[in-house]
Amino acid sequence: RSRRGGSGRDRGDTGSAMDAPSAAGLGGADPQLQRFIEVETQKQRFQQLVHQMTELCWEKCMDKPGPKLDSRAETCFVNCVERFIDTSQFILNRLEQTQKSKSAFSESLSD
């Protein structure tokens, strides 16, 4: 009885603005659930990247769809995918460097 009542009160007290933080709190309480959410989020990001890459390279390389992929289109697709991956990696590295330099700057200010 008190378990149900407490659960209902907790939900009512948190409000909609607290939904995301409380979800993060649940993830912290259950490492297995937190890991599952992280894996699923990574899968979703990967699928989005593949979709973006496919759309971009299809528009760039495919003149007219046919029964076979000609060598020019095949070479174009390979180059397009490689450049997409290179660009994505460059952006991630750049963001990481920016984040590190901001952290270092913040730490130097607090000293």
Side-chain angles (χ1 to χ4, degrees):
R1 184 173 170 218
S2 64
R3 188 173 176 196
R4 271 190 189 166
S7 163
R9 269 186 255 122
D10 290 344
R11 285 184 189 151
D13 293 343
T14 59
S16 62
M18 298 299 286
D19 286 347
S22 67
L26 285 175
D30 185 353
Q32 197 172 17
L33 176 61
Q34 185 177 13
R35 180 68 185 139
F36 174 77
I37 291 170
E38 288 172 3
V39 167
E40 291 302 310
T41 302
Q42 287 174 353
K43 285 181 189 177
Q44 183 181 15
R45 286 182 185 151
F46 179 75
Q47 288 173 343
Q48 287 173 335
L49 277 173
V50 169
H51 178 71
Q52 283 179 311
M53 181 180 59
T54 302
E55 188 175 342
L56 175 78
C57 294
W58 182 267
E59 291 296 320
K60 186 180 244 1
C61 300
M62 202 61 179
D63 292 333
K64 51 185 184 243
K68 281 189 126 179
L69 196 62
D70 65 9
S71 63
R72 186 205 64 78
E74 186 177 347
T75 301
C76 181
F77 277 115
V78 168
N79 288 333
C80 182
V81 169
E82 288 177 353
R83 296 303 70 80
F84 186 90
I85 292 170
D86 290 345
T87 303
S88 298
Q89 190 62 47
F90 175 80
I91 291 169
L92 287 174
N93 289 340
R94 188 77 172 135
L95 287 171
E96 190 176 279
Q97 288 173 354
T98 303
Q99 197 68 359
K100 284 180 182 176
S101 64
K102 282 183 181 180
S103 301
F105 181 72
S106 297
E107 288 175 10
S108 69
L109 287 177
S110 64
D111 287 345

